[in-house]
Amino acid sequence: AVDLGTPSVPRPRRRCRQIMVGGVPVGGDAPVSVQSMTTTVTADVDATLRQIAELTAAGCQIVRVAVPSQDDADALAAIARRSRIPVVADIHFQPRYVFAAIDAGCAAVRVNPGNIRKFDDKVGEIARAAGAAGVPIRIGVNAGSLDPRLLRKHGRATPEALVESALWECSLFEEHGFRELKISVKHHDPQVTVAAYRLLARRCDYPLHLGVTEAGPLLQGTVKSAVAFGLLLAEGIGDTVRVSLSAPPVEEVKVGIGILESLGLRGRRLEIVSCPSCGRAQVDVYTLADRVAAALDGFPHPLRVAVMGCVVNGPGEAREADLGVAAGNGKGQIFVRGEVVRTVPESRIVETLVEEALRLAGDFPDG
Ligand code: SF4
């Protein structure tokens, strides 16, 4: 295991430069942004734009698209023009696609130093083109594609190796006076990821893009990302996040937003406070909580809704909620701000909660 040091306590945000990814500031005092990556073939412009629209609706602020072929590079202009959020071109292997992405109007370009052939020779040209277009570059180092020279030197993808790779590439850009950079140093192991970002945070003042790469399926990837991002963000490290999941990218956005909300880094909208159920439960709490969450999905104000399986402890446990239900005996006691306001048959619990939520909407300052 990697030494994670002393337990983290919330600390002020790490001071770093700010870059603009299209209209989204990253770093400095900008709020931590959430991003994701499309899974469509980028050359399929309509499918890619449809997925970008879904991601945008879910709260994604920056989207990345893969550019593995000339057809994909050719599609970038239409995608960048029609996307409502900034589009980042993800380039491996081919420096010429970097120029294509800049010409196409992409908001940023991600390069993986370990994967760009003859990258070092091209840095001057890339720096000039990106600088002239006002396009920042992400140096995205991945454990799985670390520069072979560093792999030989360090024996494996250690935090030091990841950071050395990133800072080496940054220094090449700096030689050409280009500093519109952000960095990621991703590893599939959250402990190595945390150690790498901590080291990187101490050694540069560039904004940092957090990610645990190949984090796994939905549950495992969520846990790994929440642990790594939670530790780092609580220490003030991290300016934009991408959760990598073997799941539809909308899930990545939901998890990223959820992590930021849990850390108090952005205001929560809907929060369902549901009990885990136990032998006292008089309703199927899991199903009821899912139905309430679905019915109130997209509610435009911060709302904490309690779903409790019994009347014994329910209302007391949920006193902090704006609204809630404690089920029992085929009925639901509906309570608003801790007071029981009515009792309805179990079949009407969900619609009654929605009615009460709409009534409460008028009380919010932006209601
Ligand atoms: Fe059990 Fe009732 Fe607490 Fe739910 S609210 S966990 S059913 S005691």
Side-chain angles (χ1 to χ4, degrees):
V2 173
D3 178 9
L4 291 178
T6 51
S8 56
V9 289
R11 286 185 218 154
R13 183 91 171 269
R14 162 183 169 264
R15 291 163 70 96
C16 73
R17 300 166 58 84
Q18 185 174 86
I19 60 167
M20 291 299 295
V21 178
V24 179
V26 175
D29 58 359
V32 179
S33 50
V34 172
Q35 49 182 293
S36 184
M37 187 165 181
T38 52
T39 55
T40 52
V41 172
T42 303
D44 186 342
V45 173
D46 289 341
T48 302
L49 282 167
R50 260 199 309 279
Q51 195 172 55
I52 291 176
E54 280 170 29
L55 292 169
T56 308
C60 185
Q61 294 163 285
I62 297 171
V63 68
R64 188 155 43 109
V65 300
V67 188
S69 76
Q70 187 61 50
D71 286 348
D72 300 311
D74 292 342
L76 290 175
I79 294 169
R81 192 174 60 247
R82 287 161 60 193
S83 170
R84 284 180 45 217
I85 56 175
V87 173
V88 180
D90 190 81
I91 318 275
H92 292 242
F93 301 115
Q94 294 284 4
R96 68 193 156 99
Y97 297 155
V98 176
F99 300 108
I102 293 169
D103 287 346
C106 288
V109 175
R110 179 270 172 122
V111 295
N112 178 343
N115 267 357
I116 295 253
R117 289 189 200 116
K118 301 200 191 99
F119 179 85
D120 298 359
D121 304 341
K122 292 277 181 194
V123 169
E125 254 180 277
I126 293 173
R128 273 190 297 283
V135 169
I137 305 262
R138 168 155 71 96
I139 307 289
V141 176
N142 260 20
S145 51
L146 192 62
D147 185 329
R149 288 170 295 184
L150 291 169
L151 213 45
R152 275 195 299 278
K153 177 178 167 188
H154 292 272
R156 62 196 160 87
T158 61
E160 293 76 15
L162 297 169
V163 170
E164 188 176 332
S165 173
L167 294 181
W168 163 251
E169 295 306 331
C170 289
S171 74
L172 297 179
F173 279 98
E174 287 160 4
E175 278 174 23
H176 295 278
F178 187 88
R179 285 174 57 83
E180 296 302 294
L181 300 167
K182 64 178 171 147
I183 311 180
S184 60
V185 280
K186 300 186 183 181
H187 196 286
H188 63 86
D189 181 333
Q191 298 186 59
V192 178
T193 303
V194 168
Y197 278 100
R198 281 180 174 161
L199 188 58
L200 187 59
R202 284 200 299 273
R203 295 194 42 200
C204 72
D205 67 350
Y206 292 116
L208 302 183
H209 162 122
L210 299 188
V212 178
T213 192
E214 291 114 28
L218 184 60
L219 177 61
Q220 179 185 295
T222 298
V223 172
K224 282 186 176 185
S225 300
V227 167
F229 296 5
L231 280 164
L232 291 166
L233 290 166
E235 295 172 17
I237 298 172
D239 303 289
T240 182
V241 299
R242 190 262 169 124
V243 175
S244 300
L245 299 175
S246 305
V250 162
E251 301 300 327
E252 299 184 346
V253 174
K254 290 183 192 165
V255 172
I257 290 173
I259 291 172
L260 297 185
E261 287 177 347
S262 295
L263 289 163
L265 291 174
R266 69 165 62 179
R268 229 184 241 286
R269 290 287 172 175
L270 179 66
E271 180 178 10
I272 304 292
V273 183
S274 54
C275 81
S277 188
C278 73
R280 277 186 287 268
Q282 295 187 20
V283 70
D284 175 354
V285 177
Y286 306 161
T287 303
L288 183 59
D290 279 347
R291 288 180 57 218
V292 172
L296 289 169
D297 187 31
F299 190 75
H301 308 285
L303 189 73
R304 188 175 283 157
V305 183
V307 178
M308 297 292 160
C310 75
V311 290
V312 179
N313 292 329
E317 286 178 6
R319 201 158 279 138
E320 304 273 299
D322 297 302
L323 172 67
V325 59
N329 211 12
K331 299 192 183 93
Q333 279 187 349
I334 305 294
F335 47 95
V336 175
R337 308 228 154 101
E339 301 292 326
V340 175
V341 293
R342 40 185 172 150
T343 300
V344 298
E346 198 176 305
S347 60
R348 293 201 50 230
I349 288 174
V350 177
E351 65 181 83
T352 308
L353 286 174
V354 172
E355 276 169 34
E356 293 296 339
L358 292 174
R359 214 187 306 278
L360 283 175
D363 296 350
F364 290 96
D366 52 350

